[in-house]
């Protein structure tokens, strides 16, 4: 049993068929968590599909209409880089609902996790790089609209720059964005985040963590967000097909744990999403995402031990 909730739905699958994006990964992560006894069915929350009202706080009416009616132009489908289908649209609306729910449960339990989402390349008016709807932005706008939080931070550790996130929140003083990514990689155009940590090709664990952790500490101390959304990329892994960094699985888990520890130290709730992961062996991608959940559990258990010792 976990000290927080997992958000999952069997229709998270993006229906991509044979594609570099392993869209069966959502189910495989869920199954590994149960199979290895990390989670039980009681730990799981089923999300509702996000409402159009929720989506429209971030996306243009035109883009929402095109997605819902299947009227994307050929160039819009090319930019999205995944085949259009009704299932894809359902899955991304559901992913946005899942990230909203992960945010709400993080505010309640200190930590919450969506086993989908992290679609950080989506812009208000178009999709890009496998991302049609920006679930994290939708969740932040929903929590703000409900008065649940005023200020949020996004820590994006996908190997690709969080261009959609940066563009959406560029002139918004209520949302602070950090992206750590490989500089020489997609997307070609990188609108500025509040903090962009541009990693050189083949950067390894220590160099990466040496850049990320101080940036997270400084941002948490100075910005004082009420929630941290963590975009947990599996693609900085050394064997990733779309990434050019050289992190190990252990380094990636250390990354997750250290970010969660910094947040916990400051009582900042953390909501996590998945993000990219294109390892040659799908099992590696699954393991890296499962490790993010384990890191969350370790940090939650350590801090509850500490509070029971002091209490
Ligand atoms: Zn990526």
């Amino acid at each position: 049993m976990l000290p927080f909730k997992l958000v999952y739905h069997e229709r998270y699958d993006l229906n991509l068929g044979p594609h570099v994006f392993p869209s069966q990964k959502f189910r495989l992560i869920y199954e590994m968590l149960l199979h290895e006894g990390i989670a039980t069915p009681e730990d799981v929350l089923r999300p509702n599909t996000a409402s159009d009202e929720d989506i429209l706080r971030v996306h243009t009416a035109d883009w929402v209409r095109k997605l819902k009616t299947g009227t994307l132009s050929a160039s819009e489908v090319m930019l999205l880089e995944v085949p259009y289908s009704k299932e894809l649209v359902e899955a991304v609306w559901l992913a946005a609902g899942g990230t909203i729910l992960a945010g709400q449960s993080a505010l309640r339990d200190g930590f919450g996790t969506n086993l989908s989402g992290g679609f950080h390349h989506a812009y208000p008016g178009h999709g890009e790089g496998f991302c049609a709807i920006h679930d994290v932005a939708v969740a932040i706008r929903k929590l703000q609209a409900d008065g649940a939080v005023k200020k949020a931070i996004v820590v994006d550790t996908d190997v690709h720059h969080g261009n959609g996130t940066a563009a959406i929140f560029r002139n918004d003083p209520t949302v602070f964005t950090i992206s750590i990514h490989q500089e020489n990689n997609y997307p070609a155009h990188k609108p500025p985040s509040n903090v962009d940590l541009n990693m050189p090709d083949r950067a390894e664990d220590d160099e990466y963590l040496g850049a990320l952790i101080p940036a997270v500490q400084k941002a948490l101390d100075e910005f004082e967000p009420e929630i941290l959304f963590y975009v947990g990329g599996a693609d900085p892994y050394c064997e990733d097909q779309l990434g050019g960094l050289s992190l190990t699985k252990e380094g990636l888990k250390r990354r997750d744990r250290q970010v969660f520890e910094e947040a916990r130290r400051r009582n900042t709730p953390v909501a996590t999403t998945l993000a990219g992961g294109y390892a040659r062996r799908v099992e590696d991608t699954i393991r890296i995402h499962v490790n993010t959940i384990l890191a969350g559990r370790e940090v939650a258990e350590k801090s509850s031990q500490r509070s029971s010792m002091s209490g």
Side-chain angles (χ1 to χ4, degrees), residues 230-248:
Y230 185 70
V231 178
D235 50 10
Y237 180 49
C238 53
E239 305 225 4
D240 197 88
Q241 300 173 87
L242 301 186
L245 298 184
S246 292
L247 274 72
T248 63

Side-chain angles (χ1 to χ4, degrees), residues 158 160 235 276 278:
D158 190 278
H160 305 102
D235 50 10
Y278 317 94

Side-chain angles (χ1 to χ4, degrees), residues 118 120-121 129-130 156-161 185-186 233-236 240 242-243 275-278:
H120 62 158
H121 299 310
F130 320 150
D156 184 339
T157 63
D158 190 278
V159 79
H160 305 102
H161 177 258
N185 203 328
Y186 173 92
D235 50 10
D240 197 88
L242 301 186
Y278 317 94

Side-chain angles (χ1 to χ4, degrees), residues 140-216:
I140 290 172
R141 289 287 182 244
K142 164 74 172 163
L143 295 180
Q144 289 180 324
D146 288 348
V149 304
K150 289 192 186 70
K151 292 194 291 181
I153 184 168
V154 181
V155 177
D156 184 339
T157 63
D158 190 278
V159 79
H160 305 102
H161 177 258
N163 55 345
T165 320
I168 290 166
F169 295 119
R170 190 163 181 171
N171 296 311
D172 184 342
T174 69
V175 181
F176 193 94
T177 56
I178 298 178
S179 177
I180 182 164
H181 49 266
Q182 183 188 6
E183 185 167 21
N184 299 319
N185 203 328
Y186 173 92
H189 173 61
K190 299 176 175 64
S193 316
N194 290 103
V195 174
D196 279 311
L197 302 168
N198 299 303
M199 292 288 105
D201 298 352
R202 311 276 31 135
E204 297 181 4
D205 295 346
D206 288 343
E207 180 178 9
Y208 182 99
L209 291 174
L212 177 64
I213 302 308
V216 170

